Amino acid sequence: MKLFPPIGLSLVLLATVESRGADAAKATASSDREPLPGTAALTLDGDIASELVAGVDRFLLRKIDASVEGRARHWNRDFSSPDAYVRSVETNRQQLAHRLGVRDARVNAPALELLATVDHPALVGTGAGYGIQAVRWRSFGDVHGEGLLLTPEGKSPVADVVVVPDAGQTPEQLSGLQEGMSPQFQVARRLAENGCRVLVPAIMDRSMGPHLGRGRMTAREFLYRPAFELGRHVIGYEVQKVLSAVDAFSAGAPGRPVGVFGWGEGGLLAFYSGALDPRIRAVGVSGYFDDRRQVWEEPLDRNVFGLLDQFGDAEVASLIAPRTLVVEAARGPEITVTGQGGGGPGRLLTPRPEVVRQEVERARKLTERLSPAPTLDLVMSGDGTGPAGSDVAVGAFLRALGVSNVLLPPGSPPQRAAWIPDAVERRQRQMEELDRHTQRLLVESPEVRREFMKRLDFRTPESYAATVEPYREYFAEDVVGRFSDPPLAANPRTRKAYEAGKWVGYEVVLDVFPDVIAYGILLVPRDLKPGERRPVVVCQHGLEGRPQDVVTGDKEAYHDFAARLADRGFITFAPQNLYIFTDRFRTLQRKSNAIRKTLFSTIVPQHQQIVDWLQTLPFVDPQRIGFYGLSYGGKSAMRIPPLVKDYVLSICSADFNEWVGKNAATAGTLGRYSYTWSGEYEIFEWDLGSTFNYAEMAALIAPRPFMVERGHFDGVAPDEAVAWEFGKVKFLYAARLGIGDRCEMETFVGPHTIHGQGTFDFLHRHLNWPKP
């Protein structure tokens, strides 16, 4: 969203920008393609930005493939006994819970509550030997699970089971109270007919909204977005509901065997629940178990940060051992989410039977040294793509629970009462509870971050430098994500591309990693004297931008600021960052997230290579290289200089704000500006709410100079949110560190644009270069 000033103010502002631009000599394309002295000739033709993105894509796909072998470094399994094995994988269990966002304390010994009114009793159906009641149970905070409870009549249950529906199913369908599902598929009803007490929780569906009046994406993605920013996840929330149901079962009938069973999304939730809770004796997973290396193609609500770094399905299965896991290779949910309307695109396909078999074998190999051997049953429904809930799978699951009776065939459908729960109203209640919980976490997050940052020591510059370094390391490893690959030799290739009255422009390509290049445009002033070394300003474009946008053409918002700085005598370099070509780059974020990385895991080493190369140039002062970025380039200004310490200052233009709220708010003033509603589905960063908002990122830049450039009518955020967050930064610089002259914010009457007045003065002062 962009907000602009009234027409009169707009004309004044544009006249000011145009007058500034008129002072700069216009660049023209150079017919002389000679390279910069000391570099090889650049011969790469076509769209170099496109080649850059394609190369990063190949690099990430190789990293995903390599993650399978790399997972072993995270595990230290002890096979000396089943108990020793369980203890040895406890750390991995905790790490999986952390990745899934299972962090909130559950209610102690929750009770299953009947849902009834004076007009509608809780009993909603009766079957052959069992009754069906509408129930709920408190799980965590003010969040409840809600669903149906099938209870045998006249006898004690042989086992307690949580049967988790797919996102496209309701508890009523799995219990036989609604049509549209074959009796074989009605697993909850079949288990009740065989003597089990069965709880069927409702889970969030993929209805397209709008949600809360604005979110035109699936309901699951709508909940995923703000939760992800706060270190939670829609998967984790629903796993918590399943585990709370297990808590209720265990409190009410200690010693009775407990199992979980699910298909599709329910299979995912049953699988993770079984991995996290050793009380669950048997786990049944149908239409889900797979090789997870294509997780980046699945709907966005399945994006789990760092999952593949430590866990494929085989590794998760090894957390269930030595208990029983029944995997049914069956037809899974097949859906396509187009992404139209603002959500992220994704699809679900039936797992290929041969791949399921390979992953099961890999899981067996991980635990083959355990004695007695864990039970991991692979059941093929037909050829592995048949309907879920086969007799063989359900029978194997019951035997794992200690039920030795012969599986009964499906009986008559249960008799439905006059009233059953309204699935749409129930979904809305569940969504509003989860959204309220996430928003409460958002309100509490400043204090969480304050506690996180409490080890900073402000007594002396030396003590601050020493104590900020562990936070910078955490930011690099756990927030941005860092590749351990050593950089390649830069092998610079250049060619002259632009001519202007005061400078010459060169296209530059550098090698970074295999298939990964850095690309940009270097502007060199013509009046350099022999032996002179000048400061450099790295000028960063925004979303869908290119280096050319900041050099020539007077593009909206940029106003050729790299060229204007070169006119003032600065050397400038305009890099190509990854955020271009819409879904092509957003898919790179999905691929990166799977292996505990982000877009900036690649962008940061690209910039380090750029700076390292710039420092070798005979006309560059290596101690005077600054960073200045607009919009997504402003996001870059908050994330790159903390880790590329050769940047001696950073200017964040048209982006600085209360970033966590910008991503996670669904109500109030910040909710009006929130990315929760936007098409920029890659923007969400795991657990920033608990670690680094923009003030904390600025603390990683300190004590280097830092500046914010802010137009009053910039639609990024309201002035008060920007001022609130900047106030924390100014307090750090001025009050804590005593270097208030190194921290500034310039505001101006204007929109989302480079203003180029106070920031230019800031560059001249802190890079020690005289004004023209």
Side-chain angles (χ1 to χ4, degrees):
M1 178 174 64
K2 291 185 178 180
L3 301 178
F4 293 93
I7 291 176
L9 289 176
S10 297
L11 293 175
V12 172
L13 172 68
L14 292 175
T16 303
V17 170
E18 287 168 359
S19 66
R20 291 201 305 265
D23 294 337
K26 296 300 181 182
T28 59
S30 175
S31 58
D32 177 3
R33 310 282 276 178
E34 287 300 307
L36 185 72
T39 67
L42 175 60
T43 59
L44 184 62
D45 292 321
D47 189 341
I48 299 178
S50 182
E51 176 56 34
L52 185 154
V53 170
V56 172
D57 187 72
R58 294 190 297 271
F59 175 76
L60 291 174
L61 288 174
R62 287 199 305 272
K63 288 293 184 182
I64 288 173
D65 286 342
S67 71
V68 179
E69 294 300 320
R71 291 169 201 157
R73 72 188 189 278
H74 295 293
W75 298 78
N76 185 24
R77 297 180 179 89
D78 183 345
F79 298 104
S80 61
S81 71
D83 287 343
Y85 178 85
V86 171
R87 289 193 298 271
S88 73
V89 299
E90 182 57 32
T91 298
N92 304 92
R93 200 186 316 280
Q94 293 171 3
Q95 289 169 345
L96 178 61
H98 183 83
R99 293 293 169 199
L100 296 175
V102 179
R103 301 189 188 182
D104 300 300
R106 297 198 303 276
V107 173
N108 185 38
L112 297 177
E113 306 169 4
L114 297 179
L115 282 177
T117 69
V118 294
D119 298 316
H120 303 302
L123 186 68
V124 295
T126 55
Y130 62 94
I132 307 175
Q133 296 170 303
V135 297
R136 74 170 191 171
W137 60 101
R138 192 172 165 200
S139 181
F140 56 94
D142 294 325
V143 174
H144 296 80
E146 193 171 334
L148 299 181
L149 179 67
L150 290 69
T151 306
E153 295 176 338
K155 58 182 178 181
S156 295
V158 295
D160 287 327
V161 180
V162 182
V163 174
V164 192
D166 176 60
Q169 298 174 328
T170 67
E172 290 73 26
Q173 288 174 321
L174 284 182
S175 303
L177 293 177
Q178 284 182 332
E179 297 180 352
M181 188 176 293
S182 69
Q184 175 181 315
F185 226 141
Q186 297 168 7
V187 176
R189 165 193 162 192
R190 297 190 65 198
L191 290 171
E193 289 172 343
N194 282 271
C196 297
R197 179 170 60 159
V198 182
L199 181 61
V200 191
I203 74 166
M204 197 52 55
D205 62 17
R206 289 200 170 91
S207 57
M208 287 302 298
H211 304 296
L212 298 190
R214 292 180 63 184
R216 296 186 180 277
M217 60 198 71
T218 71
R220 297 189 69 79
E221 182 180 339
F222 173 76
L223 292 171
Y224 153 87
R225 289 182 172 208
F228 192 85
E229 194 77 10
L230 292 157
R232 306 307 196 275
H233 204 290
V234 63
I235 292 174
Y237 284 160
E238 294 191 323
V239 165
Q240 288 276 61
K241 293 183 181 185
V242 173
L243 298 183
S244 294
V246 174
D247 292 339
F249 281 157
S250 298
R256 185 183 296 159
V258 176
V260 292
F261 190 101
W263 174 77
E265 209 68 28
L268 175 154
L269 295 171
F271 190 39
Y272 286 138
S273 298
L276 295 184
D277 195 335
R279 296 174 301 173
I280 298 171
R281 181 166 165 177
V283 180
V285 178
S286 179
Y288 172 76
F289 198 87
D290 204 350
D291 181 333
R292 292 261 83 81
R293 282 180 290 175
Q294 302 302 314
V295 67
W296 55 270
E297 291 185 305
E298 297 176 12
L300 188 60
D301 55 88
R302 288 193 176 184
N303 183 50
V304 175
F305 186 74
L307 179 69
L308 298 186
D309 183 54
Q310 188 170 165
F311 303 100
D313 280 7
E315 285 78 16
V316 176
S318 77
L319 290 176
I320 295 172
R323 295 165 289 133
T324 296
L325 171 62
V326 178
V327 172
E328 184 180 37
R331 184 172 61 249
E334 298 197 348
I335 66 168
T336 298
V337 180
T338 64
Q340 294 178 356
R347 64 177 183 172
L348 293 178
L349 300 174
T350 294
R352 290 183 295 147
E354 65 273 19
V355 176
V356 177
R357 192 183 299 278
Q358 290 167 4
E359 192 71 4
V360 166
E361 288 305 314
R362 200 168 69 82
R364 287 173 175 159
K365 188 171 182 59
L366 290 176
T367 58
E368 64 183 356
R369 293 167 54 195
L370 189 58
S371 180
T375 300
L376 201 176
D377 288 335
L378 174 59
V379 176
M380 308 296 286
S381 177
D383 64 355
T385 61
S390 65
D391 286 355
V392 177
V394 176
F397 178 72
L398 282 171
R399 285 192 299 275
L401 289 171
V403 180
S404 57
N405 299 338
V406 176
L407 180 68
L408 298 175
S412 300
Q415 296 298 306
R416 171 176 162 171
W419 172 85
I420 64 172
D422 185 298
V424 175
E425 292 178 358
R426 180 174 57 206
R427 181 197 70 211
Q428 192 64 24
R429 287 193 299 271
Q430 299 275 286
M431 173 175 283
E432 290 173 358
E433 281 191 351
L434 290 173
D435 179 61
R436 284 196 301 270
H437 181 78
T438 302
Q439 295 309 299
R440 188 175 71 208
L441 294 174
L442 175 60
V443 170
E444 296 169 352
S445 68
E447 291 306 312
V448 176
R449 292 191 297 276
R450 191 190 308 275
E451 179 69 15
F452 174 71
M453 300 292 290
K454 70 181 182 181
R455 292 181 177 83
L456 286 176
D457 185 341
F458 306 100
R459 289 175 298 173
T460 66
E462 293 76 18
S463 67
Y464 184 81
T467 55
V468 80
E469 197 58 35
Y471 288 102
R472 192 174 284 120
E473 186 70 14
Y474 186 100
F475 187 68
E477 285 289 340
D478 293 295
V479 176
V480 167
R482 179 164 56 194
F483 289 112
S484 60
D485 306 55
L488 300 174
N491 185 26
R493 288 89 75 198
T494 69
R495 63 186 171 216
K496 190 180 293 185
Y498 296 102
E499 301 268 6
K502 294 185 177 181
W503 49 262
V504 179
Y506 295 87
E507 286 187 292
V508 178
V509 170
L510 309 173
D511 292 332
V512 181
F513 298 136
D515 274 328
V516 178
I517 59 172
Y519 165 60
I521 295 174
L522 175 71
L523 304 187
V524 182
R526 292 183 182 274
D527 62 349
L528 277 166
K529 299 178 179 60
E532 182 184 14
R533 289 180 177 267
R534 290 195 187 179
V536 181
V537 182
V538 173
C539 301
Q540 191 61 64
H541 63 76
L543 180 65
E544 298 296 335
R546 295 172 180 267
Q548 292 79 2
D549 295 339
V550 305
V551 171
T552 186
D554 198 22
K555 295 289 182 66
E556 180 186 5
Y558 297 116
H559 305 299
D560 299 346
F561 77 103
R564 289 166 52 208
L565 287 167
D567 286 341
R568 288 168 168 256
F570 290 101
I571 299 164
T572 66
F573 189 89
Q576 176 68 64
N577 271 5
L578 278 177
Y579 36 80
I580 186 172
F581 306 123
T582 59
D583 283 339
R584 282 182 63 192
F585 92 79
R586 294 191 166 105
T587 301
L588 299 182
Q589 180 80 318
R590 293 290 310 273
K591 292 169 182 172
S592 298
N593 277 186
I595 52 175
R596 205 160 66 94
K597 303 295 187 292
T598 65
L599 290 176
F600 285 96
S601 303
T602 303
I603 294 171
V604 166
Q606 287 174 318
H607 274 256
Q608 187 66 65
Q609 193 79 317
I610 288 167
V611 171
D612 289 348
W613 175 70
L614 288 171
Q615 290 175 328
T616 70
L617 298 178
F619 46 82
V620 167
D621 184 341
Q623 305 302 316
R624 290 188 290 166
I625 302 177
F627 188 98
Y628 184 0
L630 173 95
S631 193
Y632 224 124
K635 293 175 181 59
S636 302
M638 302 307 302
R639 291 159 179 80
I640 299 172
L643 303 180
V644 179
K645 291 186 282 187
D646 301 280
Y647 284 131
V648 299
L649 62 79
S650 182
I651 300 175
C652 177
S653 176
D655 181 71
F656 189 92
N657 65 98
E658 208 283 48
W659 182 253
V660 172
K662 169 79 172 175
N663 284 269
T666 60
T669 300
L670 286 177
R672 290 172 49 212
Y673 296 83
S674 176
Y675 279 120
T676 298
W677 320 107
S678 82
E680 292 169 280
Y681 58 84
E682 87 295 344
I683 208 77
F684 305 93
E685 295 160 286
W686 175 247
D687 203 18
L688 281 192
S690 304
T691 54
F692 298 94
N693 205 337
Y694 271 9
E696 288 78 22
M697 292 185 198
L700 304 182
I701 296 170
R704 291 167 287 167
F706 174 72
M707 184 173 183
V708 171
E709 184 176 46
R710 161 73 185 175
H712 287 302
F713 293 96
D714 190 334
V716 162
D719 271 358
E720 58 267 32
V722 177
W724 167 265
E725 193 68 11
F726 180 75
K728 304 174 198 176
V729 182
K730 188 66 175 180
F731 178 77
L732 168 68
Y733 273 77
R736 290 286 201 181
L737 299 177
I739 51 173
D741 60 327
R742 299 187 191 180
C743 181
E744 297 181 24
M745 179 167 70
E746 181 192 40
T747 60
F748 61 95
V749 179
H752 190 80
T753 188
I754 291 287
H755 188 51
Q757 293 189 9
T759 51
F760 283 15
D761 290 344
F762 188 84
L763 290 167
H764 281 290
R765 183 165 66 256
H766 290 290
L767 292 180
N768 192 26
W769 183 249
K771 293 183 182 181

